[in-house]
Structure formats: structure tokens, C-alpha cells
Amino acid sequence: MFSANNYETILFDINNGVGTITVNREKKLNALNSQVLKEIKDLLETIHAQDKSFSLKGLILTGAGEKAFIAGADISEMNGMTTDEAQAFGKLGQDVSLLFEKLHIPVIAAVNGFALGGGCEMAMSCDFIYATESAVFGQPEVKLGLIPGYGGTQRLARLVGRNRAKEIIYSGRNVKAEEALTLGLAVKLFPTKEAMMEGVEDTFSKILRNSPLAVGASKKVMNMGNDLTVEQGLGCELQQFAEIFSSDDMKEGTAAFMEKRAPEFTGK
Ligand code: CO8
């Protein structure tokens, strides 16, 4: 159903129900030009539109090679843009970041090497970040006379706290993997890319044992809660809780517990 045949700058493959998007511009450290963003957007929109029955159960975002996850938006492309073109380019990246958040399946960013500017921003729009010990995060846009444009001013502040985010964004400094872990920007570190991909696979094997409907509903409510008061968030939680209560998955999960067997969820 989902094919990467039409794409030139990204790879897409599916293993055990989990799709991997690999940004594939290794010589340019996987920098995000318009083509990369359009191709990711097209793929995510296809998944959104066609896959409500969870044939795809999860997604991984990573970068080709060992050196970079994504070294940012493509500076050479931005250098020649008019203001209108730059605004459209910013909107395109923001649309992609929102699609990652709105997908009904979990998305893990597997960060190998540099995740700078737009790279850090794309990683933050995933559900959580695993990284190699050599990963380097940062929002260096101010060094280029720019500001973060794919959500860095908003998502970094929500993830690590506003004042820490200000210190990182104003200075444009690198945040090494260990610090990213301490800040909660990355949730787990691995010695090599290979070990990280095994770690991602292992986590997905745990997630995939659970009801995809319940995992998707948890994602939806938690992301909604970012912009709400606790009371409003509790309202959303209660509504989702009630909706999911009438699902086949809920009946199956509770019955399996009572019958002391493993549940067989259908996502319905
Ligand atoms: N854009 C375009 N090309 C890049 C980028 C990039 N972000 N990063 C690396 N490259 C290219 C280099 O130009 C080089 O190409 P070439 O071989 O043709 O000269 C190749 O990748 C390899 O890079 P380096 O030779 O520089 O590799 P080093 O190991 O010496 O350095 C670094 C690695 C430190 C990562 C360095 O490449 C670097 O500083 N890159 C830029 C990092 C950066 O500033 N990122 C933020 C960009 S701005 C941004 O992301 C804004 C997002 C919001 C946009 C909103 C639009 C309105």
C-alpha cells in the first residue's frame, strides 16, 4: 500500500509492521531541502488517509549514514529564496512536523550524529527520541541570522523548559547526547547506530503487543494536553477513555486478563 518508488530523497521500508523513513542525502548530511520535505509530507499524508486500520503500526525517522540524522534545513536553498518562498518553505516544514504529531501511530526519531536546526525540530515532532552517544543536537539558526522555523521555539521550550530552551536557542550552541539525555530531549542513548536501531525495534516489539487503538488514543490526548490547562486536558482524557471503552480492543484486553492469556488486539 505504501511505496517509496516515487521518492528520490527518502527511503521507506516496512519491517514487521513498522515503517522506517530514512532521509537519504548523506553527502549533504541529510539536509532538508524542499524535495525531501515534500516527499515526507506526501508519504505521511498517504499513511494518514489510507491506514486507519493499522496495517502500519509504527514509524521510525532516521538519517542515512553514521554522521548525521539531519543537519538542518538546506542552507544553500534558503540562501536564494525570496521572503514569500522562505515563508512557504517554513510552512512546508511545519506541516511535516504537525503530520508526525497527528499520525495515529507512534513515531520514534532515531538520531545518529548531527540533529541541528530543522533536524532537531523534526526529531522533536516525533513521539520520543533515541540517539547514539555521538549525537549532537542544537538550534544554531541565530548564527545564520535566522530563527528556528520548524517548531524549535515552541517544542524545545515545552520539552526542556522555556529558559533552558532560550539559552540553547540564543547561544546556538551544540547539545551533546549526554546533556540531551539529562534534559529529557533524548530518552535513551546507544553506543552505535546499529545498537540504537535494535533498541528501537525492541521498544516497538513492546508497543506492538498493546492495543494500537489505545496507544493511538494515548498519543492524541497527550499531544492535545500540551496546549491545554490540566482541567481541559482531563476533559479530553475522559472523552477518549469513554470512546475507547466501547472498542473491541478493550473487550479483548480485559477478557484476556481474566482468562490469563495473551490478548489479540485488532485495533477496532
Ligand atoms: N544545508 C545545506 N548543506 C549542508 C547543511 C545544511 N544545513 N549541513 C551540511 N551541509 C553540507 C555541507 O555544505 C557540505 O557540502 P559540500 O561537501 O558540498 O561542501 C556537506 O554537507 C558536508 O558538510 P561539512 O563539510 O560542513 O561537514 P563538517 O563535518 O565539516 O561539519 C556540521 C558538519 C558541523 C554539521 C556542518 O555541516 C554545519 O554546521 N552544518 C550546518 C548546520 C546548521 O546550521 N543547521 C541549521 C540550518 S538552518 C535550519 O535548519 C532552519 C530550519 C527552519 C527553516 C525555516 C525556513 C523559513
Side-chain angles (χ1 to χ4, degrees):
M1 185 195 285
F2 312 109
S3 157
N5 291 345
N6 300 328
Y7 303 138
E8 292 171 358
T9 62
I10 61 169
L11 305 172
F12 182 62
D13 59 272
I14 301 176
N15 238 319
N16 297 323
V18 176
T20 301
I21 301 174
T22 306
V23 179
N24 193 27
R25 295 184 75 209
E26 194 175 341
K27 286 190 179 147
K28 295 291 179 185
L29 304 189
N30 303 319
L32 300 172
N33 60 16
S34 305
Q35 189 180 356
V36 178
L37 291 169
K38 282 180 187 159
E39 290 183 358
I40 299 177
K41 186 173 182 222
D42 183 77
L43 178 64
L44 296 182
E45 283 176 342
T46 308
I47 296 169
H48 253 295
Q50 294 183 8
D51 197 32
K52 298 295 176 211
S53 58
F54 295 102
S55 72
L56 198 65
K57 299 175 194 329
L59 206 53
I60 300 164
L61 176 66
T62 194
E66 302 285 334
K67 192 169 168 182
F69 169 72
I70 295 168
D74 192 309
I75 299 168
S76 60
E77 188 177 345
M78 283 191 290
N79 180 251
M81 282 179 186
T82 63
T83 305
D84 285 351
E85 286 165 346
Q87 196 162 353
F89 187 56
K91 171 87 169 53
L92 179 61
Q94 290 190 353
D95 286 349
V96 170
S97 74
L98 287 169
L99 279 164
F100 278 124
E101 282 187 347
K102 287 181 181 159
L103 267 189
H104 58 296
I105 52 177
V107 187
I108 302 180
V111 172
N112 46 301
F114 293 109
L116 300 174
C120 187
E121 292 171 307
M122 283 303 148
M124 288 191 290
S125 67
C126 298
D127 289 301
F128 50 88
I129 299 173
Y130 281 5
T132 56
E133 285 165 2
S134 58
V136 177
F137 297 81
Q139 297 288 161
E141 284 89 344
V142 293
K143 292 181 172 177
L144 300 165
L146 291 167
I147 67 166
Y150 297 158
T153 60
Q154 305 306 306
R155 292 194 181 95
L156 186 62
R158 281 165 169 78
L159 267 173
V160 306
R162 191 193 60 179
N163 290 8
R164 277 203 187 100
K166 283 180 173 175
E167 189 262 338
I168 291 167
I169 289 175
Y170 296 176
S171 66
R173 72 178 176 84
N174 285 343
V175 176
K176 290 187 180 165
E178 275 297 336
E179 186 188 357
L181 184 69
T182 309
L183 293 176
L185 179 55
V187 302
K188 227 174 197 178
L189 300 186
F190 299 85
T192 62
K193 185 176 180 186
E194 200 185 0
M196 173 176 67
M197 296 317 281
E198 279 169 18
V200 172
E201 209 176 295
D202 184 53
T203 295
F204 264 122
S205 75
K206 294 185 177 83
I207 295 174
L208 266 45
R209 274 182 228 141
N210 303 325
S211 157
L213 209 58
V215 172
S218 305
K219 169 173 178 166
K220 187 174 168 187
V221 173
M222 291 171 87
N223 283 348
M224 281 170 92
N226 268 338
D227 306 316
L228 302 172
T229 64
V230 171
E231 195 170 358
Q232 290 165 331
L234 289 176
C236 293
E237 186 184 75
L238 199 56
Q239 192 187 341
Q240 276 296 313
F241 189 88
E243 270 177 38
I244 214 144
F245 213 76
S246 59
S247 68
D248 291 351
D249 276 3
M250 179 274 174
K251 291 184 187 81
E252 168 63 10
T254 50
F257 176 81
M258 307 290 285
E259 293 159 19
K260 300 191 187 303
R261 62 173 174 83
E264 285 180 31
F265 293 116
T266 58
K268 289 182 185 143

